[in-house]
Amino acid sequence: MKDAPIIPRRPDLVVALLLGWLIPGLGHVYVGRVAKGFFFFGILMTTFVAGLWLADYRGVRWEDHPFYFVGQFGSGLTLLLMTFATSEAPRPIVHIEWYEPGLLYMCVASVLNLMCLIHLTPLSPDGKAPEAGLPDDGAATPMPGGTAS
Amino acid sequence: MKGFWLFFPICAVIAVVFSAAKEDRPRAVAIGSIRWFLLLCTAVMVGSGVVYAIGQYL
C-alpha cells in the first residue's frame, strides 16, 4: 500500500499576527524566520526600553498626548510595560526635556512592530499569499517578503 | 533645540527595521539601512527647518 503524501503544515496567518502583536518578532519566529524574529525583538525592545528610560518611566495619558497614547497599542508587550512599568505619580525628574522624545521612542517601537506584522501578510509590497508553511519537522520555508532564515 | 539629536538614533532604528523587513541578506540590509538613514535624516532636517521658518512668520 502506498503511503499518503506528507502535506506541509501551513502556518496560520492569524496566529502569526497575534503572536507578533503580543511579542515583537514572535510572529516571524512562528513562520520559521527565527533570526529575523530575534533581530526585530532585540531592536524594538531596545528602542522601547530606551524610550522608557528617557521618559523617566512615566506613563502617558490620553488627555496629555493622544497620539502617543494610541501608539502604545502597537504591541502587547509594550502595552503591558507601559501599563505596569510606568507611573503617573510624581517621580524625581532627571531630564524633563527628554520626556517627549522618550514617548516618541516608545511610540515608534510600537508602530514599527505593526509594520513588521504587515510584512507577514500578503499586504506587504513584496509579499504574496503564503503558499506553503512549516513542514512538520519545523524546517523553514519561504514566506512572503523573502526567504526563510 | 535641546534634545534634537535624539531624532537621529530613532531615524537609525527606523532605517534598520525598514531595511531588515524588506531584505534578507545582511549586506543588502546594511546598504538599505544606510540609504534609509540618510533619507530620514534629510527629511527630519528639512522638515524641522520648514517648521521653524513657518514659525518665524506666524
PDB file of all heavy atoms in Angstrom, chain B residues 34-57:
ATOM      1  N   ILE B  34      21.641  52.217   5.416  1.00  0.00           N
ATOM      2  CA  ILE B  34      22.350  53.492   5.219  1.00  0.00           C
ATOM      3  C   ILE B  34      21.520  54.427   4.334  1.00  0.00           C
ATOM      4  O   ILE B  34      21.385  55.622   4.620  1.00  0.00           O
ATOM      5  CB  ILE B  34      23.747  53.230   4.609  1.00  0.00           C
ATOM      6  CG1 ILE B  34      24.620  52.505   5.627  1.00  0.00           C
ATOM      7  CG2 ILE B  34      24.408  54.526   4.179  1.00  0.00           C
ATOM      8  CD1 ILE B  34      25.910  51.967   5.073  1.00  0.00           C
ATOM      9  N   ARG B  35      20.958  53.870   3.285  1.00  0.00           N
ATOM     10  CA  ARG B  35      20.154  54.708   2.380  1.00  0.00           C
ATOM     11  C   ARG B  35      18.924  55.263   3.100  1.00  0.00           C
ATOM     12  O   ARG B  35      18.599  56.448   2.988  1.00  0.00           O
ATOM     13  CB  ARG B  35      19.733  53.898   1.162  1.00  0.00           C
ATOM     14  CG  ARG B  35      20.913  53.520   0.299  1.00  0.00           C
ATOM     15  CD  ARG B  35      20.526  52.567  -0.801  1.00  0.00           C
ATOM     16  NE  ARG B  35      19.658  53.183  -1.791  1.00  0.00           N
ATOM     17  CZ  ARG B  35      19.188  52.545  -2.849  1.00  0.00           C
ATOM     18  NH1 ARG B  35      19.507  51.280  -3.049  1.00  0.00           N
ATOM     19  NH2 ARG B  35      18.409  53.155  -3.700  1.00  0.00           N
ATOM     20  N   TRP B  36      18.228  54.424   3.862  1.00  0.00           N
ATOM     21  CA  TRP B  36      17.052  54.890   4.604  1.00  0.00           C
ATOM     22  C   TRP B  36      17.450  55.927   5.658  1.00  0.00           C
ATOM     23  O   TRP B  36      16.735  56.906   5.885  1.00  0.00           O
ATOM     24  CB  TRP B  36      16.349  53.712   5.284  1.00  0.00           C
ATOM     25  CG  TRP B  36      15.323  53.051   4.439  1.00  0.00           C
ATOM     26  CD1 TRP B  36      15.409  51.829   3.841  1.00  0.00           C
ATOM     27  CD2 TRP B  36      14.038  53.570   4.086  1.00  0.00           C
ATOM     28  NE1 TRP B  36      14.265  51.566   3.144  1.00  0.00           N
ATOM     29  CE2 TRP B  36      13.400  52.610   3.274  1.00  0.00           C
ATOM     30  CE3 TRP B  36      13.371  54.749   4.362  1.00  0.00           C
ATOM     31  CZ2 TRP B  36      12.132  52.794   2.760  1.00  0.00           C
ATOM     32  CZ3 TRP B  36      12.095  54.931   3.851  1.00  0.00           C
ATOM     33  CH2 TRP B  36      11.483  53.962   3.054  1.00  0.00           C
ATOM     34  N   PHE B  37      18.590  55.679   6.317  1.00  0.00           N
ATOM     35  CA  PHE B  37      19.030  56.606   7.363  1.00  0.00           C
ATOM     36  C   PHE B  37      19.302  57.990   6.771  1.00  0.00           C
ATOM     37  O   PHE B  37      18.870  59.009   7.328  1.00  0.00           O
ATOM     38  CB  PHE B  37      20.278  56.049   8.049  1.00  0.00           C
ATOM     39  CG  PHE B  37      20.823  56.932   9.131  1.00  0.00           C
ATOM     40  CD1 PHE B  37      20.121  57.125  10.310  1.00  0.00           C
ATOM     41  CD2 PHE B  37      22.027  57.589   8.965  1.00  0.00           C
ATOM     42  CE1 PHE B  37      20.608  57.945  11.305  1.00  0.00           C
ATOM     43  CE2 PHE B  37      22.533  58.406   9.951  1.00  0.00           C
ATOM     44  CZ  PHE B  37      21.823  58.583  11.127  1.00  0.00           C
ATOM     45  N   LEU B  38      20.026  58.027   5.661  1.00  0.00           N
ATOM     46  CA  LEU B  38      20.320  59.313   5.034  1.00  0.00           C
ATOM     47  C   LEU B  38      19.033  60.013   4.586  1.00  0.00           C
ATOM     48  O   LEU B  38      18.869  61.221   4.769  1.00  0.00           O
ATOM     49  CB  LEU B  38      21.261  59.114   3.834  1.00  0.00           C
ATOM     50  CG  LEU B  38      22.674  58.637   4.199  1.00  0.00           C
ATOM     51  CD1 LEU B  38      23.477  58.364   2.930  1.00  0.00           C
ATOM     52  CD2 LEU B  38      23.383  59.668   5.064  1.00  0.00           C
ATOM     53  N   LEU B  39      18.116  59.230   4.044  1.00  0.00           N
ATOM     54  CA  LEU B  39      16.843  59.804   3.596  1.00  0.00           C
ATOM     55  C   LEU B  39      16.047  60.378   4.766  1.00  0.00           C
ATOM     56  O   LEU B  39      15.541  61.509   4.714  1.00  0.00           O
ATOM     57  CB  LEU B  39      16.031  58.721   2.878  1.00  0.00           C
ATOM     58  CG  LEU B  39      14.697  59.149   2.288  1.00  0.00           C
ATOM     59  CD1 LEU B  39      14.922  60.066   1.095  1.00  0.00           C
ATOM     60  CD2 LEU B  39      13.881  57.943   1.867  1.00  0.00           C
ATOM     61  N   LEU B  40      15.965  59.610   5.847  1.00  0.00           N
ATOM     62  CA  LEU B  40      15.186  60.061   7.009  1.00  0.00           C
ATOM     63  C   LEU B  40      15.825  61.270   7.679  1.00  0.00           C
ATOM     64  O   LEU B  40      15.128  62.203   8.096  1.00  0.00           O
ATOM     65  CB  LEU B  40      15.046  58.914   8.016  1.00  0.00           C
ATOM     66  CG  LEU B  40      14.091  57.789   7.611  1.00  0.00           C
ATOM     67  CD1 LEU B  40      14.236  56.605   8.548  1.00  0.00           C
ATOM     68  CD2 LEU B  40      12.658  58.287   7.643  1.00  0.00           C
ATOM     69  N   CYS B  41      17.163  61.241   7.796  1.00  0.00           N
ATOM     70  CA  CYS B  41      17.842  62.390   8.419  1.00  0.00           C
ATOM     71  C   CYS B  41      17.632  63.646   7.592  1.00  0.00           C
ATOM     72  O   CYS B  41      17.397  64.730   8.138  1.00  0.00           O
ATOM     73  CB  CYS B  41      19.336  62.102   8.570  1.00  0.00           C
ATOM     74  SG  CYS B  41      19.691  60.920   9.864  1.00  0.00           S
ATOM     75  N   THR B  42      17.722  63.502   6.284  1.00  0.00           N
ATOM     76  CA  THR B  42      17.475  64.660   5.418  1.00  0.00           C
ATOM     77  C   THR B  42      16.047  65.164   5.608  1.00  0.00           C
ATOM     78  O   THR B  42      15.803  66.375   5.721  1.00  0.00           O
ATOM     79  CB  THR B  42      17.704  64.267   3.943  1.00  0.00           C
ATOM     80  OG1 THR B  42      18.995  63.703   3.819  1.00  0.00           O
ATOM     81  CG2 THR B  42      17.582  65.467   3.036  1.00  0.00           C
ATOM     82  N   ALA B  43      15.103  64.226   5.669  1.00  0.00           N
ATOM     83  CA  ALA B  43      13.702  64.621   5.847  1.00  0.00           C
ATOM     84  C   ALA B  43      13.496  65.332   7.186  1.00  0.00           C
ATOM     85  O   ALA B  43      12.777  66.333   7.260  1.00  0.00           O
ATOM     86  CB  ALA B  43      12.803  63.392   5.752  1.00  0.00           C
ATOM     87  N   VAL B  44      14.139  64.810   8.241  1.00  0.00           N
ATOM     88  CA  VAL B  44      13.985  65.434   9.563  1.00  0.00           C
ATOM     89  C   VAL B  44      14.558  66.846   9.553  1.00  0.00           C
ATOM     90  O   VAL B  44      13.938  67.795  10.049  1.00  0.00           O
ATOM     91  CB  VAL B  44      14.674  64.567  10.639  1.00  0.00           C
ATOM     92  CG1 VAL B  44      14.888  65.358  11.925  1.00  0.00           C
ATOM     93  CG2 VAL B  44      13.841  63.334  10.928  1.00  0.00           C
ATOM     94  N   MET B  45      15.734  67.002   8.961  1.00  0.00           N
ATOM     95  CA  MET B  45      16.371  68.321   8.979  1.00  0.00           C
ATOM     96  C   MET B  45      15.610  69.319   8.110  1.00  0.00           C
ATOM     97  O   MET B  45      15.370  70.463   8.522  1.00  0.00           O
ATOM     98  CB  MET B  45      17.830  68.192   8.543  1.00  0.00           C
ATOM     99  CG  MET B  45      18.686  67.546   9.623  1.00  0.00           C
ATOM    100  SD  MET B  45      20.426  67.572   9.291  1.00  0.00           S
ATOM    101  CE  MET B  45      20.557  66.281   8.112  1.00  0.00           C
ATOM    102  N   VAL B  46      15.211  68.883   6.921  1.00  0.00           N
ATOM    103  CA  VAL B  46      14.448  69.784   6.047  1.00  0.00           C
ATOM    104  C   VAL B  46      13.099  70.107   6.680  1.00  0.00           C
ATOM    105  O   VAL B  46      12.661  71.269   6.707  1.00  0.00           O
ATOM    106  CB  VAL B  46      14.273  69.141   4.643  1.00  0.00           C
ATOM    107  CG1 VAL B  46      13.292  69.954   3.808  1.00  0.00           C
ATOM    108  CG2 VAL B  46      15.601  69.038   3.938  1.00  0.00           C
ATOM    109  N   GLY B  47      12.441  69.078   7.213  1.00  0.00           N
ATOM    110  CA  GLY B  47      11.128  69.283   7.830  1.00  0.00           C
ATOM    111  C   GLY B  47      11.194  70.227   9.018  1.00  0.00           C
ATOM    112  O   GLY B  47      10.368  71.137   9.145  1.00  0.00           O
ATOM    113  N   SER B  48      12.194  70.030   9.880  1.00  0.00           N
ATOM    114  CA  SER B  48      12.294  70.918  11.038  1.00  0.00           C
ATOM    115  C   SER B  48      12.654  72.330  10.614  1.00  0.00           C
ATOM    116  O   SER B  48      12.208  73.313  11.221  1.00  0.00           O
ATOM    117  CB  SER B  48      13.311  70.373  12.044  1.00  0.00           C
ATOM    118  OG  SER B  48      14.550  70.191  11.412  1.00  0.00           O
ATOM    119  N   GLY B  49      13.447  72.454   9.544  1.00  0.00           N
ATOM    120  CA  GLY B  49      13.767  73.784   9.024  1.00  0.00           C
ATOM    121  C   GLY B  49      12.534  74.491   8.498  1.00  0.00           C
ATOM    122  O   GLY B  49      12.327  75.681   8.743  1.00  0.00           O
ATOM    123  N   VAL B  50      11.694  73.745   7.797  1.00  0.00           N
ATOM    124  CA  VAL B  50      10.460  74.334   7.254  1.00  0.00           C
ATOM    125  C   VAL B  50       9.534  74.762   8.390  1.00  0.00           C
ATOM    126  O   VAL B  50       8.959  75.859   8.373  1.00  0.00           O
ATOM    127  CB  VAL B  50       9.760  73.321   6.314  1.00  0.00           C
ATOM    128  CG1 VAL B  50       8.354  73.785   5.971  1.00  0.00           C
ATOM    129  CG2 VAL B  50      10.570  73.121   5.045  1.00  0.00           C
ATOM    130  N   VAL B  51       9.404  73.870   9.405  1.00  0.00           N
ATOM    131  CA  VAL B  51       8.544  74.205  10.547  1.00  0.00           C
ATOM    132  C   VAL B  51       9.063  75.448  11.266  1.00  0.00           C
ATOM    133  O   VAL B  51       8.298  76.341  11.651  1.00  0.00           O
ATOM    134  CB  VAL B  51       8.453  72.999  11.512  1.00  0.00           C
ATOM    135  CG1 VAL B  51       7.803  73.403  12.824  1.00  0.00           C
ATOM    136  CG2 VAL B  51       7.665  71.875  10.868  1.00  0.00           C
ATOM    137  N   TYR B  52      10.393  75.516  11.429  1.00  0.00           N
ATOM    138  CA  TYR B  52      10.991  76.683  12.081  1.00  0.00           C
ATOM    139  C   TYR B  52      10.735  77.959  11.270  1.00  0.00           C
ATOM    140  O   TYR B  52      10.377  79.004  11.821  1.00  0.00           O
ATOM    141  CB  TYR B  52      12.498  76.459  12.253  1.00  0.00           C
ATOM    142  CG  TYR B  52      13.208  77.611  12.870  1.00  0.00           C
ATOM    143  CD1 TYR B  52      13.162  77.825  14.243  1.00  0.00           C
ATOM    144  CD2 TYR B  52      13.939  78.515  12.093  1.00  0.00           C
ATOM    145  CE1 TYR B  52      13.813  78.903  14.819  1.00  0.00           C
ATOM    146  CE2 TYR B  52      14.590  79.580  12.656  1.00  0.00           C
ATOM    147  CZ  TYR B  52      14.520  79.772  14.026  1.00  0.00           C
ATOM    148  OH  TYR B  52      15.169  80.836  14.583  1.00  0.00           O
ATOM    149  N   ALA B  53      10.916  77.855   9.948  1.00  0.00           N
ATOM    150  CA  ALA B  53      10.701  79.026   9.092  1.00  0.00           C
ATOM    151  C   ALA B  53       9.238  79.488   9.154  1.00  0.00           C
ATOM    152  O   ALA B  53       8.967  80.689   9.223  1.00  0.00           O
ATOM    153  CB  ALA B  53      11.099  78.689   7.658  1.00  0.00           C
ATOM    154  N   ILE B  54       8.319  78.525   9.122  1.00  0.00           N
ATOM    155  CA  ILE B  54       6.901  78.887   9.221  1.00  0.00           C
ATOM    156  C   ILE B  54       6.614  79.557  10.553  1.00  0.00           C
ATOM    157  O   ILE B  54       5.886  80.568  10.635  1.00  0.00           O
ATOM    158  CB  ILE B  54       6.010  77.643   9.023  1.00  0.00           C
ATOM    159  CG1 ILE B  54       6.109  77.152   7.580  1.00  0.00           C
ATOM    160  CG2 ILE B  54       4.550  77.939   9.375  1.00  0.00           C
ATOM    161  CD1 ILE B  54       5.428  75.828   7.329  1.00  0.00           C
ATOM    162  N   GLY B  55       7.238  79.023  11.615  1.00  0.00           N
ATOM    163  CA  GLY B  55       7.044  79.593  12.939  1.00  0.00           C
ATOM    164  C   GLY B  55       7.518  81.025  13.058  1.00  0.00           C
ATOM    165  O   GLY B  55       6.992  81.814  13.847  1.00  0.00           O
ATOM    166  N   GLN B  56       8.529  81.386  12.268  1.00  0.00           N
ATOM    167  CA  GLN B  56       9.039  82.757  12.313  1.00  0.00           C
ATOM    168  C   GLN B  56       8.039  83.756  11.737  1.00  0.00           C
ATOM    169  O   GLN B  56       8.068  84.920  12.071  1.00  0.00           O
ATOM    170  CB  GLN B  56      10.349  82.838  11.517  1.00  0.00           C
ATOM    171  CG  GLN B  56      11.486  82.052  12.143  1.00  0.00           C
ATOM    172  CD  GLN B  56      11.863  82.550  13.520  1.00  0.00           C
ATOM    173  OE1 GLN B  56      12.186  83.719  13.707  1.00  0.00           O
ATOM    174  NE2 GLN B  56      11.799  81.670  14.506  1.00  0.00           N
ATOM    175  N   TYR B  57       7.179  83.284  10.830  1.00  0.00           N
ATOM    176  CA  TYR B  57       6.251  84.192  10.173  1.00  0.00           C
ATOM    177  C   TYR B  57       4.889  84.216  10.832  1.00  0.00           C
ATOM    178  O   TYR B  57       4.029  84.997  10.434  1.00  0.00           O
ATOM    179  CB  TYR B  57       6.105  83.796   8.702  1.00  0.00           C
ATOM    180  CG  TYR B  57       7.309  84.159   7.880  1.00  0.00           C
ATOM    181  CD1 TYR B  57       8.259  83.201   7.560  1.00  0.00           C
ATOM    182  CD2 TYR B  57       7.519  85.476   7.454  1.00  0.00           C
ATOM    183  CE1 TYR B  57       9.392  83.524   6.827  1.00  0.00           C
ATOM    184  CE2 TYR B  57       8.639  85.809   6.721  1.00  0.00           C
ATOM    185  CZ  TYR B  57       9.566  84.826   6.406  1.00  0.00           C
ATOM    186  OH  TYR B  57      10.672  85.154   5.693  1.00  0.00           O
TER     187      TYR B  57
END
